[in-house]
């Protein structure tokens, strides 16, 4: 009866791992370990994906993620990253107002602009 | 830069290669002008655009970056002594046959390879890397055969220069004062070497 359960869980595996019990048992154990670990990893990955999306959305308006979040914290806006990423994808105008709010609260750091000298091929030729 | 295909001298077949494989609907065509840009900084911006990381709809498993056209690849710049001292190395597989070529020679031989290698080495090494390579079109001159598409030029973001460390800053000020005292009679090579030294110390 345990073999039946193992084969049920081994559907879609590659090669002998879906048909032969000795190999299937090992692979299924590993698969269950991975799924345990990845249930925890999924939360991390989703959060980092939200952060990447928010970063892209704010950089369209000239602000980077760090300054944007700092401004939101200052204004005590408690929207979480999941909601912010959804807004940046589907509600661009609302997102723009959030970016403006954040910029009012925290304008950003000062910029220094003295670019160093660079040489192209023309100098050597 | 919107010249029709007739004026384009160069391999039109190579430029249009593999366009059918890319799903082109909804993608923008961004044009980068490499004239006077620093190699790595330009390549990093191109890599971000090609991955699609500047769009809020970025998905890691789906390839959604814009088509990138790079013009004037032969006018790419580097700082320091990299023009003569940066080597591209590769091993042919035979024992002892490590070949190398400097940036200068590579620019003479094929200027598009410099930018292509730089961008490709900045992309993540996964299954989407080849598709992203297909979206990148580099031309050594200033013309491209994609004049009939809706083209958007890419404006590079302003350069964020790191503040200099105090010791390097004092050295720079001392060097500037010395050059002011000695006047403008210094040779051109000497001035270049001094500025190269200043960048190396930054």
């Amino acid at each position: 009866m345990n073999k039946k359960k193992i084969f049920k869980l081994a559907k879609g595996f590659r090669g002998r791992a879906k048909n032969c019990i000795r190999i299937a048992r090992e692979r299924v154990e590993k698969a269950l370990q991975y799924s345990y670990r990845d249930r925890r990893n999924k939360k991390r990955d989703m959060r980092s994906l939200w952060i990447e999306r928010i970063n892209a959305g704010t950089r369209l308006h000239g602000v980077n993620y760090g300054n944007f979040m700092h401004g939101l914290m200052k204004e005590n806006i408690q929207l979480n990253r999941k909601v912010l990423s959804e807004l940046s994808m589907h509600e661009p105008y609302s997102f723009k107002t959030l970016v403006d709010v954040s910029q009012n609260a925290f304008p950003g750091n000062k910029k220094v602009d003295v670019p160093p000298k660079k040489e192209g091929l023309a100098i050597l030729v | 830069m919107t010249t029709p295909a007739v004026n384009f001298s160069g391999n039109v077949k190579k430029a249009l290669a593999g366009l059918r494989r890319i799903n082109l609907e909804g993608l923008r065509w961004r044009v980068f002008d490499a004239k006077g840009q620093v190699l790595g900084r330009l390549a990093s911006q191109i890599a971000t655009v090609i991955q699609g990381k500047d769009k809020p709809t970025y998905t890691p498993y789906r390839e959604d970056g814009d088509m990138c056209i790079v013009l004037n690849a032969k006018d790419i710049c580097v700082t320091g002594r990299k023009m003569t001292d940066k080597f591209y190395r590769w091993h042919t597989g035979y024992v002892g046959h490590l070949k190398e070529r400097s940036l200068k020679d590579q620019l003479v031989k094929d200027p598009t390879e410099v930018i292509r290698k730089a961008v490709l080495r900045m992309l993540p090494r996964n299954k989407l890397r080849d598709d992203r390579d297909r979206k990148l079109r580099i031309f050594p001159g200033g013309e491209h055969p994609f004049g009939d598409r809706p083209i958007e030029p890419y404006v590079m973001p302003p350069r964020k220069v790191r503040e200099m460390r105090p010791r390097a800053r004092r050295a720079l000020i001392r060097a500037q004062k010395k050059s002011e005292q000695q006047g403008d009679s210094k040779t051109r090579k000497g001035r270049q070497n001094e500025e190269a030294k200043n960048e190396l110390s930054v």
Side-chain angles (χ1 to χ4, degrees):
Chain A
M1 51 167 182
N2 199 21
K3 281 195 199 170
K4 259 176 127 180
K5 281 192 196 167
I6 298 244
F7 281 129
K8 189 161 185 311
L9 286 171
K11 283 200 190 289
F13 284 14
R14 201 182 212 200
R16 278 191 276 169
K18 65 183 179 298
N19 294 324
C20 308
I21 187 59
R22 287 182 179 182
I23 304 175
R25 186 163 281 150
E26 289 173 20
R27 292 283 106 214
V28 164
E29 279 174 10
K30 202 55 178 274
L32 292 172
Q33 284 171 16
Y34 282 146
S35 79
Y36 178 86
R37 178 201 69 177
D38 287 330
R39 276 195 291 275
R40 284 130 182 84
N41 277 358
K42 185 158 75 168
K43 302 163 177 46
R44 305 179 208 168
D45 294 336
M46 291 308 286
R47 180 164 163 135
S48 99
L49 178 64
W50 298 329
I51 293 181
E52 283 176 1
R53 287 185 169 160
I54 299 173
N55 206 350
T58 62
R59 275 174 204 257
L60 285 176
H61 300 297
V63 177
N64 56 355
Y65 171 80
N67 293 345
F68 174 65
M69 276 304 176
H70 189 53
L72 287 191
M73 293 301 143
K74 272 197 165 182
E75 290 283 317
N76 199 18
I77 295 179
Q78 284 168 357
L79 292 171
N80 59 0
R81 283 141 182 87
K82 177 160 137 186
V83 162
L84 284 172
S85 79
E86 290 291 316
L87 283 178
S88 83
M89 274 203 291
H90 299 129
E91 311 283 336
Y93 296 112
S94 323
F95 196 67
K96 173 97 171 72
T97 57
L98 276 173
V99 169
D100 292 334
V101 163
S102 163
Q103 268 188 313
N104 280 341
F106 183 66
N109 301 322
K110 59 175 170 50
K111 287 194 191 213
V112 180
D113 44 1
V114 177
K117 179 179 177 298
K118 40 190 196 212
E119 51 177 65
L121 198 54
I123 289 190
L124 289 168
V125 165
Chain B
M1 309 281 183
T2 54
T3 54
V6 182
N7 284 356
F8 178 65
S9 67
N11 215 339
V12 179
K13 261 197 154 176
K14 199 163 147 196
L16 299 174
L19 267 187
R20 268 188 312 161
R21 279 213 218 176
I22 316 171
N23 185 14
L24 274 180
E25 50 172 82
L27 295 183
R28 296 173 288 180
W29 289 67
R30 319 280 285 266
V31 173
F32 290 79
D33 192 7
K35 191 177 197 108
Q37 301 282 348
V38 184
L39 173 63
R41 294 185 188 259
L42 175 71
S44 124
Q45 299 297 324
I46 298 178
T48 336
V49 168
I50 275 227
Q51 285 179 58
K53 282 195 120 174
D54 52 345
K55 299 184 182 173
T57 50
Y58 169 72
T59 328
Y61 55 82
R62 219 184 36 189
E63 180 40 40
D64 212 12
D66 296 327
M67 293 285 305
C68 286
I69 304 178
V70 185
L71 302 176
N72 293 322
K74 59 176 176 357
D75 297 321
I76 199 86
C77 294
V78 288
T79 56
R81 278 186 238 127
K82 285 182 233 174
M83 204 42 113
T84 44
D85 287 356
K86 179 174 167 75
F87 284 100
Y88 290 98
R89 298 190 162 94
W90 67 99
H91 199 276
T92 58
Y94 289 93
V95 173
H97 285 224
L98 181 69
K99 295 197 165 177
E100 63 181 21
R101 198 184 278 155
S102 77
L103 226 199
K104 198 154 55 87
D105 301 332
Q106 184 69 43
L107 278 175
V108 166
K109 192 157 174 134
D110 188 10
T112 67
E113 267 309 300
V114 171
I115 302 187
R116 186 176 298 275
K117 271 201 168 64
V119 173
L120 234 52
R121 288 174 180 179
M122 289 190 182
L123 295 175
R125 317 317 183 248
N126 54 15
K127 296 186 187 176
L128 298 172
R129 195 165 173 234
D130 291 332
D131 297 325
R132 287 168 175 160
D133 184 24
R134 217 168 282 133
K135 288 193 173 172
L136 175 66
R137 309 277 153 153
I138 310 180
F139 299 103
E143 300 169 347
H144 59 95
F146 299 113
D148 48 343
R149 323 265 177 166
I151 298 260
E152 284 180 28
Y154 180 83
V155 179
M156 285 279 284
R159 172 93 184 263
K160 280 191 221 157
V161 182
R162 197 179 67 208
E163 227 181 284
M164 279 170 89
R165 301 273 184 268
R167 180 186 265 180
R169 192 184 184 82
R170 271 179 267 139
L172 182 68
I173 292 177
R174 244 181 293 133
Q176 278 177 351
K177 278 194 193 147
K178 206 157 65 162
S179 69
E180 276 167 23
Q181 282 169 11
Q182 290 187 3
D184 290 352
S185 59
K186 252 193 179 183
T187 62
R188 182 168 166 267
K189 206 174 180 188
R191 213 184 309 137
Q192 269 187 355
N193 274 348
E194 184 187 81
E195 277 166 328
K197 236 188 299 167
N198 288 336
E199 281 138 28
L200 289 172
S201 67
V202 163

